[in-house]
Each structure stands twice: as C-alpha cells, then as structure tokens.
Amino acid sequence: MTHEAHCIVASAQYPIDFLESWKQYENKIALWVEDAVKHDAQLLIFPEYASMELASLFSIVVRSSLERQIAAMQQYLPAYIQLFQRLSVQHGVYILSGTFPVDSGGVIYRNRALLFAPSGTYDFQEKLQLTRFENEQWNIQQGDEIRVFATSLGRIAINVCYDCEFPAIARQQIEAGAEILLVPSCTDTLAGYNRVRIGCQARALENQCYVVQSSTVGAASWSEAVDVNVGAAAVYSPVDREFPEHGILAIGELNASQWVYAELDCRKLHAVRNEGQVLNHRDWSGQFRPDLASARTIPL
C-alpha cells in the first residue's frame, strides 16, 4: 500500500471525568476529535483505559467493584465502536480510541486497543504483557497475536502501555514493516509513567522509528480502576541527523489535559535507517552472533 510521505499526529493527555450520561461522553469525545482536526491532525491517539470513565455511569455498587464494572462495561461496547467509527469517517482521520476491556468469550477479558480508519473499517491489537494489577486483581487475560496495520499514513503498530517495555514485541512489528508505534498508556505513579516513557524512547532508538505515547491524566477517586492518573503524551523519534538530538519531537506538560502534536515524515525514517550516523535498525541482528549465545562468568 502506498502512503503519504508525512502526517500530523495528535496524542492525548486525556482526563478521566465523572459522566452524567452517555450523551455527555459522546459530546466530550466529539469535541476532542474536532479540536485535533482543527490542528490538521490525521492520526489521533487516545490512552489506555480511557474508556473506563464510562463506569461512572453505573451505580456506586457497580463502579466500586472491579469485577462488576468490567462486566457492566460490555453494554457500551457497540455504541463505543459506533461513536469512534462515525467520527473517523466524518473527519477522514485515523483514530486509536484508547483501550477497552472486552469480553472475548467465557468472561475472559482482554485489554483491546481499537484503531479506526476513515473508510469505516477498524481492527485491534490486544495487550500482550500484563501488569500485576491486571493479572492479580482484575482478571485481564493477555492477547495472543502481534499485529501491524497497513494504512494510508504508513504501517502502524500498537504496544499497549507495559508492552513497550519488552523490545521483542516491537521488533517483530518493525520487521513486519511498522514505521509508527502507538503506545496508549495508563500509569498511576510518576515511576510508572517514566518506565513507559523510557521504554518508548528505547524502542524509537533501537528501531529508528516513531513512537507516540498517550496518557490518562487526573484524579478519579470514584473509580476502582483508574483512580489516579499520572503522565504526559509525547512523540519520540530516532536520535540521529534531521531529528532532535534528544529524540523528543514533542512532549506535553505533565498531568495537563491537552493534545500534543507532531509531524511525522516516514521518508526521514528510511533515510536515517540507510544513511544515519548509526544504523541500529540494520544492526539489530548483530547482537545474536553464535559466539555470543551465552554469557561466560569470569571469577575475579
């Protein structure tokens, strides 16, 4: 698939609000999308578990229970998909809606990131590496497939939050042609945010690709799932010629509610992969030399 040489990406620092109605949620998302489109964004990224603010529509008994709220959330999934589908088509943009905990059968929930295309089609990447909270308290199950999406903006892949701290996942996507890696995230401490941020920059460095992080922000004391949200959205690049010397194309103000914008030019990626000061993308396989198959312990 041929694609545009460059695009404007918008990454959300998205506040978790207490909602009074589904209509209020529709209006909120529509306003966020309209704002990004006014800034010429063609690719919009919302964060991990941004959908959990919908749990505020349930009774206190439901929203105060991790088990009950995730089950009740399923009733909104069809309308959620239709909303982002409609906005994507209406504005002619790609939208990563963030993630939604989806019942994939037999009350097995998976953390699913949905990517919507201007054509009206959509697909998803499920989270592959789960945090202790998801594993031990929330009964989220890991996904079982690594995907890459061929779009008119380039080949796009998704690492859901913790996934970006594991380089083998991104590397498989890069070797399948991914140029842009989207990282919807949700972190409740500054340390957690920094772990994801550092993972994002490392993936951009070693793969010579763009990495776009989106974060939930703000307090939601009513929520058992997303009560504290700490983070900033950012767009990371290779650290090489024609890119910033710190590898940061754009980064938001910590914990502010805002869009973060950057221009992505895939021609620059391919140029630096072929003619950069260093060739991390090309040299990846060099670390797997047969003579380096195992480490030797040296007594001193």
Side-chain angles (χ1 to χ4, degrees), residues 22-156:
W22 167 260
K23 185 63 177 177
Q24 183 184 355
Y25 178 72
E26 277 190 314
N27 291 341
K28 177 184 178 180
I29 296 297
L31 287 172
W32 271 78
V33 171
E34 288 167 11
D35 186 37
V37 170
K38 287 177 184 176
H39 288 81
D40 299 321
Q42 297 150 279
L43 174 61
L44 287 61
I45 296 94
F46 288 93
E48 181 186 34
Y49 290 131
S51 62
M52 290 310 300
E53 66 183 343
L54 289 170
S56 63
L57 300 178
F58 306 130
S59 69
I60 190 170
V61 173
V62 173
R63 67 175 182 261
S64 62
S65 164
L66 290 172
E67 181 179 354
R68 289 176 178 173
Q69 68 176 238
I70 198 171
M73 284 280 291
Q74 305 311 304
Q75 68 186 271
Y76 284 109
L77 181 58
Y80 178 89
I81 291 173
Q82 290 170 11
L83 170 62
F84 284 97
Q85 208 168 24
R86 174 174 58 81
L87 291 171
S88 184
V89 172
Q90 177 185 340
H91 296 287
V93 296
Y94 288 90
I95 304 176
L96 181 71
S97 67
T99 74
F100 196 107
V102 174
D103 185 346
S104 58
V107 198
I108 295 175
Y109 298 100
R110 291 182 173 174
N111 187 6
R112 183 173 292 179
L114 297 118
L115 181 62
F116 296 84
S119 63
T121 60
Y122 72 95
D123 215 305
F124 60 86
Q125 172 68 60
E126 292 177 332
K127 191 172 187 177
L128 301 167
Q129 293 289 140
L130 303 180
T131 63
R132 292 189 63 190
F133 172 71
E134 289 168 312
N135 262 323
E136 298 171 13
Q137 299 180 52
W138 212 7
N139 195 32
I140 302 289
Q141 306 295 309
Q142 63 185 173
D144 55 14
E145 185 177 15
I146 298 175
R147 298 180 172 186
V148 173
F149 305 96
T151 79
S152 63
L153 304 179
R155 288 185 179 263
I156 294 173

Side-chain angles (χ1 to χ4, degrees), residues 147-149 154-158 170-181 207-210 266 269-270 273 281:
R147 298 180 172 186
V148 173
F149 305 96
R155 288 185 179 263
I156 294 173
I158 302 166
R171 189 62 199 181
Q172 287 195 52
Q173 294 165 323
I174 295 299
E175 291 180 350
E179 299 155 306
I180 304 167
L181 185 63
N207 295 302
Q208 294 180 307
C209 66
Y210 292 112
C266 290
L269 287 183
H270 296 293
R273 286 177 176 181
H281 177 265

Side-chain angles (χ1 to χ4, degrees), residues 170-211:
R171 189 62 199 181
Q172 287 195 52
Q173 294 165 323
I174 295 299
E175 291 180 350
E179 299 155 306
I180 304 167
L181 185 63
L182 308 182
V183 182
S185 67
C186 177
T187 49
D188 60 0
T189 64
L190 189 58
Y193 158 66
N194 280 317
R195 284 194 295 269
V196 177
R197 179 187 62 80
I198 292 166
C200 287
Q201 279 212 271
R203 304 295 79 80
L205 168 70
E206 68 202 11
N207 295 302
Q208 294 180 307
C209 66
Y210 292 112
V211 180

